[in-house]
Amino acid sequence: MMSTLLRPLSLAAMVAVILTGCNGDEYEESQPTGAYALSDYGSPTHCADGMEWASASEVTAIENLVELAESNSTITLPEGCFKMNNQLTVDSKDNLVLKGAGITKTFLDFSNVDGKDGIAVSGGSNIVISDLQVSEASKNGIKADSVEGLIIRDVATVWLEVPRERDEDGSLRGTYGIYPVKSQNVLIEDTWSYGSADAGVYVGQTIGAVVRNNVAEKNIAGIEIENSSGVDVYGNLAVGNTGGVLLFDLPGATTIGRLVDDVRVFNNTIRDNNLVNYVDTTCDKGVGGCGVVGIVPPGTGIVILSGRNGEFFNNTIDNHDSMAVAMTSYLLVNDNPEAYVPSFTGPSSSEGAAILQGWNPVPTGMYFHDNSVTNVGMNPNGALIDDMVLAYSLEHQAFPAVFYDGAGESLVRSQMFTELRDALNGTFGTDRWNYLTNFTDADSNCVINNTGTSVGVLVDHLDPTAIGRYSENPANADFLYQNPHTSLLRGGCDVKQPLAVNTVTIDGVEYGWGITDATPDDGDSGSGNNGIVGNEMCRANTAGDINWAALTRDSASFAENCTNLSDYHLFADASDPTKNLNLATSGKGTLYEMNVELFTDYARKYRYVLMPEDVSATYRSQEVFDFPVGTVLIKTFTLPTSTDNSIGEDEELIETRLLIRRDSGWVALPYVWNEDKTDATLTAVSVPFERTIEHNGENLAFTYEVPSRNECTLCHKVTEDVADPVGSTQAAGFSPIGPKARNMNSVRSVSLGNPINQLLHWENLGLVSLPDTPSNLPAVPEFDTEAGATNLTPAELEDYAKAYLDINCAHCHRTEGKAASNPFKLEYWREGVGQMGLCARGITFHKGPSPYVVMPGDADNSVLHYRINIDNGNMMPELGRHVVHKEGVALVADWINSIDPTGWDCVE
């Protein structure tokens, strides 16, 4: 019965009825108004007049400066225009300042960097980014993930071409301008974001933020607050965007418990936001780029989608084609009530899983008062509202300045979710889910004391039967309208109280409305390290033995690690890291191989583990082994001329990566082989190689990239401690990925060419003690990266696909990973496929042919399949490849297509 109570929120049928009554007069859709008065920043540029582009060596110096930055330092970028070769990455640093010479003096152009952000900050605390411009980033201008205490001030993020076309790969360059996510205590002030294909300033899944005195111009969304709480937005100018200010509470982002609550938007100027929604108009199936922002109607000042307790006051909202305010429930996105019912025994939809977190798909407690609204609704347009515009025009000869769908509120008042409310409250012994059926005065959305507002409501929100009438026939929509505004959305206004001021505290300083700010202290203006210098241990005479002193030395900075790979004396032949560890005098170790490899552009990998004689690792059943201090994990990458070559035949040495376990923890050291392949040199920045490989008769030309030292950390990091069912807890922080029991439980020729089970071989060498025989320990199936797998049964397909996604994706897509906020997890050990994204909407579900990560039985419409089958800025994994892994894609596609869609309900 439930699924019949709400029909899609389409007005087509209703419009047809109204048109019949009006003799079928033709209706011509409006087009957005584009012209507006520019902000004081004027027209953007990549490089100021009179300035010249810096040399290649000067660009490299900047990249080294940032990559080598350590905690408690100030990195000052010089005045100039710089064509960057790499993303600038800051990982897990505390008390770090990254500043330029000024927003109109330091220009960082990322036009030549594909698939990455401009500046990316991950983890750490008390970070300041200021006084520079980032332009033409492939993904986001400035992204900060999981930072405690962040200041972004006096910066610009710019994409010149607006609107812009997709490239030949279907990618739309530039997503968010300024993008803090999953962070706490964030201050964004005095910035200019121009031309993003999503939000210019975005605050997502964040607790505590002040967004003030910024200009968001010519983006799809000017300023967007998503799944965040304790946020003040004031003194900003949102101009020339599609939508001015957005407040969104989305279900997919609730997996880490973040919901919209207590957001104030006040004293802002929101004008002329009439930009065509070119994300919507370029949203072709199979290309991606569709999402919630893709449905924002051009000419909308403020958009509210779900959320609790928002206050909007003293804003000037002027000159909008469509609406001053659009407030709607999430039913606009997913109108199937069944999707909102969580499962107590199996997987849930994104909406159902969010309900378990207390998410409310209906906006409540929104208080819109004392705003000035002028010149609104003269040219309403947009795919989302075209039918609605027609119907309002025919019914009222006008379109409302403030629009409320009313459907979600009527649905709550109808008591449809009584059974669900009782089940949830009863299961958890609480009344937390009473909001599913109760709509009190405190919950009411109040619109009062605004100048120039007309108000419209699609479905009578106060009538519990209205949603039923509408579901029976869309022509039964109520289309309430008042001009002048007298009573609609006035319920509960008499009990509304202003929300409290939200402030943030960063490095001991409080920022916010009514607080006199301290003079910014950006620290000393040092230049930082600008190269690898090594240390005295690197040059020690070890008489041919492994240089344990250099390996285990805790360096004060990355730059103090050994310059050359040969300094460590790891191999019998320093110029050949593919064989013969240097074990003649000390140490123990072996070659090892993976049952399934992380794909890296068909590179071949030679892995070794090395330990001092007197230590061993502790077994864990799910996570990587607990390795002792002194462990070195060595991985050398070679590129064959052809994948038909035998192992070791006609291969070029590219890089050797070391993961070293020191007293202070793990450190990642990437070494790049020189041209004559006699030695490898430590690099802090990403190093590209243009290469071609023959694979299955096809020449694949691509850019192979050695990751920067900070990019290594982005994948090799868990954000919290991880309990293991058998072994010790894996501590939060940097960690290896590959050497887990399940990945090495296979027979390989790793002992002088003789076949042996690798786990047993490790035990024989004293590298680890096993709790049982290998046959009783976890194992993933063996998948040949170059040959793939064929003729698999459905059960085998699932097993192989889980193993492939585990090694290629689960380091981020896990509860403790970088992508924890997405509603799917991909570790192999999880039972079944219920948590693998079937009918789940990802956080960025616009990057694909449908909103769903996996559509059972339909690989072509699954975001997962789409993103592993491309090599542009939307690809997954985000790092580590520039070639599509055809064998892996085929495996995943076959698995998805083999899934019986019965029982799964992916509703557009």
PDB file of all heavy atoms in Angstrom, residues 561-594:
ATOM      1  N   ASN A 561      65.747  12.158   4.407  1.00  0.00           N
ATOM      2  CA  ASN A 561      65.896  10.767   4.013  1.00  0.00           C
ATOM      3  C   ASN A 561      66.930  10.647   2.890  1.00  0.00           C
ATOM      4  O   ASN A 561      67.235  11.624   2.209  1.00  0.00           O
ATOM      5  CB  ASN A 561      64.547  10.202   3.573  1.00  0.00           C
ATOM      6  CG  ASN A 561      63.606  10.024   4.739  1.00  0.00           C
ATOM      7  OD1 ASN A 561      63.777   9.121   5.561  1.00  0.00           O
ATOM      8  ND2 ASN A 561      62.591  10.891   4.833  1.00  0.00           N
ATOM      9  N   CYS A 562      67.451   9.453   2.721  1.00  0.00           N
ATOM     10  CA  CYS A 562      68.548   9.259   1.773  1.00  0.00           C
ATOM     11  C   CYS A 562      68.155   9.652   0.357  1.00  0.00           C
ATOM     12  O   CYS A 562      67.073   9.309  -0.128  1.00  0.00           O
ATOM     13  CB  CYS A 562      69.015   7.814   1.792  1.00  0.00           C
ATOM     14  SG  CYS A 562      69.814   7.356   3.343  1.00  0.00           S
ATOM     15  N   THR A 563      69.061  10.340  -0.298  1.00  0.00           N
ATOM     16  CA  THR A 563      68.809  10.840  -1.643  1.00  0.00           C
ATOM     17  C   THR A 563      68.702   9.711  -2.649  1.00  0.00           C
ATOM     18  O   THR A 563      67.841   9.727  -3.534  1.00  0.00           O
ATOM     19  CB  THR A 563      69.935  11.796  -2.059  1.00  0.00           C
ATOM     20  OG1 THR A 563      70.038  12.847  -1.105  1.00  0.00           O
ATOM     21  CG2 THR A 563      69.665  12.385  -3.440  1.00  0.00           C
ATOM     22  N   ASN A 564      69.559   8.701  -2.521  1.00  0.00           N
ATOM     23  CA  ASN A 564      69.625   7.619  -3.501  1.00  0.00           C
ATOM     24  C   ASN A 564      69.182   6.299  -2.885  1.00  0.00           C
ATOM     25  O   ASN A 564      69.503   5.994  -1.729  1.00  0.00           O
ATOM     26  CB  ASN A 564      71.044   7.465  -4.035  1.00  0.00           C
ATOM     27  CG  ASN A 564      71.521   8.717  -4.748  1.00  0.00           C
ATOM     28  OD1 ASN A 564      70.824   9.266  -5.589  1.00  0.00           O
ATOM     29  ND2 ASN A 564      72.723   9.165  -4.395  1.00  0.00           N
ATOM     30  N   LEU A 565      68.486   5.502  -3.668  1.00  0.00           N
ATOM     31  CA  LEU A 565      68.058   4.181  -3.214  1.00  0.00           C
ATOM     32  C   LEU A 565      69.260   3.322  -2.856  1.00  0.00           C
ATOM     33  O   LEU A 565      69.226   2.536  -1.893  1.00  0.00           O
ATOM     34  CB  LEU A 565      67.223   3.509  -4.312  1.00  0.00           C
ATOM     35  CG  LEU A 565      66.673   2.126  -3.991  1.00  0.00           C
ATOM     36  CD1 LEU A 565      65.675   2.179  -2.836  1.00  0.00           C
ATOM     37  CD2 LEU A 565      66.005   1.516  -5.235  1.00  0.00           C
ATOM     38  N   SER A 566      70.345   3.473  -3.576  1.00  0.00           N
ATOM     39  CA  SER A 566      71.531   2.648  -3.339  1.00  0.00           C
ATOM     40  C   SER A 566      72.160   2.901  -1.968  1.00  0.00           C
ATOM     41  O   SER A 566      72.919   2.067  -1.473  1.00  0.00           O
ATOM     42  CB  SER A 566      72.572   2.907  -4.441  1.00  0.00           C
ATOM     43  OG  SER A 566      72.969   4.272  -4.434  1.00  0.00           O
ATOM     44  N   ASP A 567      71.827   4.034  -1.343  1.00  0.00           N
ATOM     45  CA  ASP A 567      72.390   4.326  -0.020  1.00  0.00           C
ATOM     46  C   ASP A 567      71.991   3.292   1.021  1.00  0.00           C
ATOM     47  O   ASP A 567      72.674   3.124   2.037  1.00  0.00           O
ATOM     48  CB  ASP A 567      71.922   5.709   0.468  1.00  0.00           C
ATOM     49  CG  ASP A 567      72.490   6.853  -0.369  1.00  0.00           C
ATOM     50  OD1 ASP A 567      73.552   6.650  -0.984  1.00  0.00           O
ATOM     51  OD2 ASP A 567      71.860   7.928  -0.403  1.00  0.00           O
ATOM     52  N   TYR A 568      70.894   2.583   0.767  1.00  0.00           N
ATOM     53  CA  TYR A 568      70.398   1.619   1.760  1.00  0.00           C
ATOM     54  C   TYR A 568      70.995   0.217   1.571  1.00  0.00           C
ATOM     55  O   TYR A 568      70.811  -0.646   2.427  1.00  0.00           O
ATOM     56  CB  TYR A 568      68.876   1.530   1.679  1.00  0.00           C
ATOM     57  CG  TYR A 568      68.166   2.819   2.024  1.00  0.00           C
ATOM     58  CD1 TYR A 568      67.384   3.474   1.060  1.00  0.00           C
ATOM     59  CD2 TYR A 568      68.257   3.382   3.286  1.00  0.00           C
ATOM     60  CE1 TYR A 568      66.722   4.651   1.361  1.00  0.00           C
ATOM     61  CE2 TYR A 568      67.595   4.566   3.592  1.00  0.00           C
ATOM     62  CZ  TYR A 568      66.833   5.197   2.631  1.00  0.00           C
ATOM     63  OH  TYR A 568      66.180   6.367   2.931  1.00  0.00           O
ATOM     64  N   HIS A 569      71.630  -0.050   0.440  1.00  0.00           N
ATOM     65  CA  HIS A 569      72.237  -1.367   0.171  1.00  0.00           C
ATOM     66  C   HIS A 569      71.229  -2.500   0.334  1.00  0.00           C
ATOM     67  O   HIS A 569      71.494  -3.519   0.978  1.00  0.00           O
ATOM     68  CB  HIS A 569      73.439  -1.602   1.103  1.00  0.00           C
ATOM     69  CG  HIS A 569      74.455  -0.515   1.066  1.00  0.00           C
ATOM     70  ND1 HIS A 569      75.073  -0.092  -0.086  1.00  0.00           N
ATOM     71  CD2 HIS A 569      74.951   0.275   2.060  1.00  0.00           C
ATOM     72  CE1 HIS A 569      75.915   0.890   0.176  1.00  0.00           C
ATOM     73  NE2 HIS A 569      75.848   1.138   1.481  1.00  0.00           N
ATOM     74  N   LEU A 570      70.061  -2.347  -0.295  1.00  0.00           N
ATOM     75  CA  LEU A 570      68.989  -3.327  -0.126  1.00  0.00           C
ATOM     76  C   LEU A 570      69.158  -4.559  -1.009  1.00  0.00           C
ATOM     77  O   LEU A 570      68.656  -5.633  -0.673  1.00  0.00           O
ATOM     78  CB  LEU A 570      67.640  -2.671  -0.440  1.00  0.00           C
ATOM     79  CG  LEU A 570      67.199  -1.552   0.515  1.00  0.00           C
ATOM     80  CD1 LEU A 570      65.984  -0.826  -0.036  1.00  0.00           C
ATOM     81  CD2 LEU A 570      66.903  -2.127   1.893  1.00  0.00           C
ATOM     82  N   PHE A 571      69.865  -4.398  -2.149  1.00  0.00           N
ATOM     83  CA  PHE A 571      69.962  -5.501  -3.097  1.00  0.00           C
ATOM     84  C   PHE A 571      71.420  -5.849  -3.381  1.00  0.00           C
ATOM     85  O   PHE A 571      72.306  -4.992  -3.298  1.00  0.00           O
ATOM     86  CB  PHE A 571      69.245  -5.137  -4.404  1.00  0.00           C
ATOM     87  CG  PHE A 571      67.759  -4.988  -4.238  1.00  0.00           C
ATOM     88  CD1 PHE A 571      67.197  -3.750  -3.959  1.00  0.00           C
ATOM     89  CD2 PHE A 571      66.933  -6.096  -4.329  1.00  0.00           C
ATOM     90  CE1 PHE A 571      65.833  -3.619  -3.791  1.00  0.00           C
ATOM     91  CE2 PHE A 571      65.568  -5.971  -4.150  1.00  0.00           C
ATOM     92  CZ  PHE A 571      65.008  -4.729  -3.879  1.00  0.00           C
ATOM     93  N   ALA A 572      71.626  -7.102  -3.715  1.00  0.00           N
ATOM     94  CA  ALA A 572      72.975  -7.550  -4.037  1.00  0.00           C
ATOM     95  C   ALA A 572      73.536  -6.756  -5.206  1.00  0.00           C
ATOM     96  O   ALA A 572      74.722  -6.419  -5.237  1.00  0.00           O
ATOM     97  CB  ALA A 572      72.960  -9.051  -4.356  1.00  0.00           C
ATOM     98  N   ASP A 573      72.684  -6.459  -6.168  1.00  0.00           N
ATOM     99  CA  ASP A 573      73.046  -5.596  -7.287  1.00  0.00           C
ATOM    100  C   ASP A 573      72.191  -4.343  -7.171  1.00  0.00           C
ATOM    101  O   ASP A 573      70.978  -4.383  -7.394  1.00  0.00           O
ATOM    102  CB  ASP A 573      72.781  -6.318  -8.608  1.00  0.00           C
ATOM    103  CG  ASP A 573      73.132  -5.462  -9.829  1.00  0.00           C
ATOM    104  OD1 ASP A 573      73.439  -4.261  -9.660  1.00  0.00           O
ATOM    105  OD2 ASP A 573      73.062  -5.993 -10.956  1.00  0.00           O
ATOM    106  N   ALA A 574      72.789  -3.231  -6.812  1.00  0.00           N
ATOM    107  CA  ALA A 574      72.032  -2.006  -6.546  1.00  0.00           C
ATOM    108  C   ALA A 574      71.260  -1.522  -7.761  1.00  0.00           C
ATOM    109  O   ALA A 574      70.292  -0.763  -7.619  1.00  0.00           O
ATOM    110  CB  ALA A 574      72.986  -0.910  -6.079  1.00  0.00           C
ATOM    111  N   SER A 575      71.644  -1.950  -8.959  1.00  0.00           N
ATOM    112  CA  SER A 575      70.962  -1.503 -10.167  1.00  0.00           C
ATOM    113  C   SER A 575      69.843  -2.451 -10.591  1.00  0.00           C
ATOM    114  O   SER A 575      69.197  -2.219 -11.617  1.00  0.00           O
ATOM    115  CB  SER A 575      71.959  -1.348 -11.324  1.00  0.00           C
ATOM    116  OG  SER A 575      72.512  -2.596 -11.675  1.00  0.00           O
ATOM    117  N   ASP A 576      69.611  -3.502  -9.807  1.00  0.00           N
ATOM    118  CA  ASP A 576      68.554  -4.453 -10.151  1.00  0.00           C
ATOM    119  C   ASP A 576      67.718  -4.774  -8.913  1.00  0.00           C
ATOM    120  O   ASP A 576      68.021  -5.717  -8.169  1.00  0.00           O
ATOM    121  CB  ASP A 576      69.138  -5.734 -10.733  1.00  0.00           C
ATOM    122  CG  ASP A 576      68.056  -6.680 -11.251  1.00  0.00           C
ATOM    123  OD1 ASP A 576      66.852  -6.327 -11.148  1.00  0.00           O
ATOM    124  OD2 ASP A 576      68.400  -7.760 -11.754  1.00  0.00           O
ATOM    125  N   PRO A 577      66.637  -3.997  -8.676  1.00  0.00           N
ATOM    126  CA  PRO A 577      65.802  -4.228  -7.498  1.00  0.00           C
ATOM    127  C   PRO A 577      64.721  -5.276  -7.732  1.00  0.00           C
ATOM    128  O   PRO A 577      63.801  -5.398  -6.912  1.00  0.00           O
ATOM    129  CB  PRO A 577      65.167  -2.854  -7.279  1.00  0.00           C
ATOM    130  CG  PRO A 577      64.996  -2.332  -8.667  1.00  0.00           C
ATOM    131  CD  PRO A 577      66.183  -2.840  -9.458  1.00  0.00           C
ATOM    132  N   THR A 578      64.817  -6.038  -8.829  1.00  0.00           N
ATOM    133  CA  THR A 578      63.802  -7.046  -9.103  1.00  0.00           C
ATOM    134  C   THR A 578      64.187  -8.411  -8.555  1.00  0.00           C
ATOM    135  O   THR A 578      63.372  -9.335  -8.580  1.00  0.00           O
ATOM    136  CB  THR A 578      63.542  -7.171 -10.614  1.00  0.00           C
ATOM    137  OG1 THR A 578      64.705  -7.719 -11.257  1.00  0.00           O
ATOM    138  CG2 THR A 578      63.208  -5.817 -11.218  1.00  0.00           C
ATOM    139  N   LYS A 579      65.415  -8.540  -8.048  1.00  0.00           N
ATOM    140  CA  LYS A 579      65.807  -9.842  -7.513  1.00  0.00           C
ATOM    141  C   LYS A 579      66.985  -9.680  -6.548  1.00  0.00           C
ATOM    142  O   LYS A 579      67.662  -8.653  -6.511  1.00  0.00           O
ATOM    143  CB  LYS A 579      66.173 -10.814  -8.630  1.00  0.00           C
ATOM    144  CG  LYS A 579      67.269 -10.379  -9.573  1.00  0.00           C
ATOM    145  CD  LYS A 579      67.515 -11.474 -10.609  1.00  0.00           C
ATOM    146  CE  LYS A 579      68.577 -11.092 -11.629  1.00  0.00           C
ATOM    147  NZ  LYS A 579      68.099 -10.091 -12.594  1.00  0.00           N
ATOM    148  N   ASN A 580      67.155 -10.689  -5.689  1.00  0.00           N
ATOM    149  CA  ASN A 580      68.329 -10.833  -4.831  1.00  0.00           C
ATOM    150  C   ASN A 580      68.468  -9.737  -3.772  1.00  0.00           C
ATOM    151  O   ASN A 580      69.284  -8.813  -3.898  1.00  0.00           O
ATOM    152  CB  ASN A 580      69.616 -10.900  -5.668  1.00  0.00           C
ATOM    153  CG  ASN A 580      69.632 -12.094  -6.618  1.00  0.00           C
ATOM    154  OD1 ASN A 580      69.013 -13.125  -6.322  1.00  0.00           O
ATOM    155  ND2 ASN A 580      70.321 -11.951  -7.725  1.00  0.00           N
ATOM    156  N   LEU A 581      67.636  -9.856  -2.717  1.00  0.00           N
ATOM    157  CA  LEU A 581      67.846  -9.015  -1.548  1.00  0.00           C
ATOM    158  C   LEU A 581      69.249  -9.225  -1.007  1.00  0.00           C
ATOM    159  O   LEU A 581      69.802 -10.328  -1.086  1.00  0.00           O
ATOM    160  CB  LEU A 581      66.825  -9.367  -0.452  1.00  0.00           C
ATOM    161  CG  LEU A 581      65.423  -8.789  -0.543  1.00  0.00           C
ATOM    162  CD1 LEU A 581      64.553  -9.377   0.575  1.00  0.00           C
ATOM    163  CD2 LEU A 581      65.441  -7.266  -0.442  1.00  0.00           C
ATOM    164  N   ASN A 582      69.789  -8.198  -0.408  1.00  0.00           N
ATOM    165  CA  ASN A 582      71.147  -8.247   0.142  1.00  0.00           C
ATOM    166  C   ASN A 582      71.105  -8.844   1.551  1.00  0.00           C
ATOM    167  O   ASN A 582      71.149  -8.132   2.558  1.00  0.00           O
ATOM    168  CB  ASN A 582      71.740  -6.838   0.170  1.00  0.00           C
ATOM    169  CG  ASN A 582      73.143  -6.817   0.734  1.00  0.00           C
ATOM    170  OD1 ASN A 582      73.848  -7.841   0.736  1.00  0.00           O
ATOM    171  ND2 ASN A 582      73.557  -5.653   1.215  1.00  0.00           N
ATOM    172  N   LEU A 583      71.008 -10.171   1.636  1.00  0.00           N
ATOM    173  CA  LEU A 583      70.875 -10.846   2.919  1.00  0.00           C
ATOM    174  C   LEU A 583      72.140 -11.602   3.323  1.00  0.00           C
ATOM    175  O   LEU A 583      72.112 -12.433   4.235  1.00  0.00           O
ATOM    176  CB  LEU A 583      69.699 -11.839   2.866  1.00  0.00           C
ATOM    177  CG  LEU A 583      68.325 -11.226   2.538  1.00  0.00           C
ATOM    178  CD1 LEU A 583      67.267 -12.323   2.435  1.00  0.00           C
ATOM    179  CD2 LEU A 583      67.933 -10.201   3.597  1.00  0.00           C
ATOM    180  N   ALA A 584      73.254 -11.302   2.676  1.00  0.00           N
ATOM    181  CA  ALA A 584      74.483 -12.055   2.937  1.00  0.00           C
ATOM    182  C   ALA A 584      74.968 -11.882   4.359  1.00  0.00           C
ATOM    183  O   ALA A 584      75.542 -12.807   4.954  1.00  0.00           O
ATOM    184  CB  ALA A 584      75.566 -11.618   1.945  1.00  0.00           C
ATOM    185  N   THR A 585      74.783 -10.709   4.950  1.00  0.00           N
ATOM    186  CA  THR A 585      75.343 -10.413   6.272  1.00  0.00           C
ATOM    187  C   THR A 585      74.280 -10.351   7.357  1.00  0.00           C
ATOM    188  O   THR A 585      74.481 -10.849   8.469  1.00  0.00           O
ATOM    189  CB  THR A 585      76.113  -9.079   6.235  1.00  0.00           C
ATOM    190  OG1 THR A 585      77.100  -9.150   5.202  1.00  0.00           O
ATOM    191  CG2 THR A 585      76.791  -8.821   7.572  1.00  0.00           C
ATOM    192  N   SER A 586      73.144  -9.743   7.082  1.00  0.00           N
ATOM    193  CA  SER A 586      72.111  -9.584   8.114  1.00  0.00           C
ATOM    194  C   SER A 586      70.752  -9.481   7.475  1.00  0.00           C
ATOM    195  O   SER A 586      70.623  -9.234   6.268  1.00  0.00           O
ATOM    196  CB  SER A 586      72.383  -8.335   8.957  1.00  0.00           C
ATOM    197  OG  SER A 586      72.219  -7.161   8.174  1.00  0.00           O
ATOM    198  N   GLY A 587      69.723  -9.659   8.308  1.00  0.00           N
ATOM    199  CA  GLY A 587      68.357  -9.484   7.855  1.00  0.00           C
ATOM    200  C   GLY A 587      67.752 -10.744   7.292  1.00  0.00           C
ATOM    201  O   GLY A 587      68.438 -11.744   7.013  1.00  0.00           O
ATOM    202  N   LYS A 588      66.457 -10.715   7.160  1.00  0.00           N
ATOM    203  CA  LYS A 588      65.708 -11.816   6.566  1.00  0.00           C
ATOM    204  C   LYS A 588      64.590 -11.226   5.725  1.00  0.00           C
ATOM    205  O   LYS A 588      64.087 -10.131   6.010  1.00  0.00           O
ATOM    206  CB  LYS A 588      65.127 -12.727   7.645  1.00  0.00           C
ATOM    207  CG  LYS A 588      64.236 -12.014   8.661  1.00  0.00           C
ATOM    208  CD  LYS A 588      63.836 -12.918   9.804  1.00  0.00           C
ATOM    209  CE  LYS A 588      63.011 -12.172  10.860  1.00  0.00           C
ATOM    210  NZ  LYS A 588      62.682 -13.009  12.030  1.00  0.00           N
ATOM    211  N   GLY A 589      64.215 -11.923   4.682  1.00  0.00           N
ATOM    212  CA  GLY A 589      63.181 -11.388   3.814  1.00  0.00           C
ATOM    213  C   GLY A 589      62.948 -12.279   2.627  1.00  0.00           C
ATOM    214  O   GLY A 589      63.605 -13.311   2.460  1.00  0.00           O
ATOM    215  N   THR A 590      62.002 -11.856   1.783  1.00  0.00           N
ATOM    216  CA  THR A 590      61.660 -12.663   0.623  1.00  0.00           C
ATOM    217  C   THR A 590      60.874 -11.845  -0.390  1.00  0.00           C
ATOM    218  O   THR A 590      60.283 -10.810  -0.073  1.00  0.00           O
ATOM    219  CB  THR A 590      60.788 -13.873   1.038  1.00  0.00           C
ATOM    220  OG1 THR A 590      60.516 -14.682  -0.114  1.00  0.00           O
ATOM    221  CG2 THR A 590      59.473 -13.429   1.641  1.00  0.00           C
ATOM    222  N   LEU A 591      60.893 -12.335  -1.599  1.00  0.00           N
ATOM    223  CA  LEU A 591      59.955 -11.884  -2.622  1.00  0.00           C
ATOM    224  C   LEU A 591      58.560 -12.360  -2.225  1.00  0.00           C
ATOM    225  O   LEU A 591      58.396 -13.444  -1.660  1.00  0.00           O
ATOM    226  CB  LEU A 591      60.359 -12.492  -3.968  1.00  0.00           C
ATOM    227  CG  LEU A 591      59.419 -12.271  -5.170  1.00  0.00           C
ATOM    228  CD1 LEU A 591      59.515 -10.845  -5.666  1.00  0.00           C
ATOM    229  CD2 LEU A 591      59.779 -13.257  -6.296  1.00  0.00           C
ATOM    230  N   TYR A 592      57.528 -11.552  -2.502  1.00  0.00           N
ATOM    231  CA  TYR A 592      56.165 -12.049  -2.321  1.00  0.00           C
ATOM    232  C   TYR A 592      55.280 -11.475  -3.413  1.00  0.00           C
ATOM    233  O   TYR A 592      55.617 -10.466  -4.050  1.00  0.00           O
ATOM    234  CB  TYR A 592      55.611 -11.724  -0.936  1.00  0.00           C
ATOM    235  CG  TYR A 592      55.341 -10.259  -0.649  1.00  0.00           C
ATOM    236  CD1 TYR A 592      54.071  -9.706  -0.802  1.00  0.00           C
ATOM    237  CD2 TYR A 592      56.364  -9.416  -0.187  1.00  0.00           C
ATOM    238  CE1 TYR A 592      53.826  -8.377  -0.521  1.00  0.00           C
ATOM    239  CE2 TYR A 592      56.122  -8.078   0.099  1.00  0.00           C
ATOM    240  CZ  TYR A 592      54.848  -7.565  -0.070  1.00  0.00           C
ATOM    241  OH  TYR A 592      54.608  -6.237   0.215  1.00  0.00           O
ATOM    242  N   GLU A 593      54.166 -12.142  -3.665  1.00  0.00           N
ATOM    243  CA  GLU A 593      53.244 -11.740  -4.715  1.00  0.00           C
ATOM    244  C   GLU A 593      51.821 -11.674  -4.165  1.00  0.00           C
ATOM    245  O   GLU A 593      51.515 -12.265  -3.130  1.00  0.00           O
ATOM    246  CB  GLU A 593      53.317 -12.722  -5.895  1.00  0.00           C
ATOM    247  CG  GLU A 593      54.702 -12.771  -6.542  1.00  0.00           C
ATOM    248  CD  GLU A 593      54.814 -13.821  -7.632  1.00  0.00           C
ATOM    249  OE1 GLU A 593      53.851 -14.609  -7.800  1.00  0.00           O
ATOM    250  OE2 GLU A 593      55.859 -13.853  -8.315  1.00  0.00           O
ATOM    251  N   MET A 594      50.975 -10.944  -4.876  1.00  0.00           N
ATOM    252  CA  MET A 594      49.595 -10.742  -4.450  1.00  0.00           C
ATOM    253  C   MET A 594      48.652 -11.619  -5.278  1.00  0.00           C
ATOM    254  O   MET A 594      48.832 -11.763  -6.495  1.00  0.00           O
ATOM    255  CB  MET A 594      49.204  -9.277  -4.632  1.00  0.00           C
ATOM    256  CG  MET A 594      50.102  -8.300  -3.883  1.00  0.00           C
ATOM    257  SD  MET A 594      49.697  -8.218  -2.148  1.00  0.00           S
ATOM    258  CE  MET A 594      48.156  -7.319  -2.246  1.00  0.00           C
TER     259      MET A 594
END
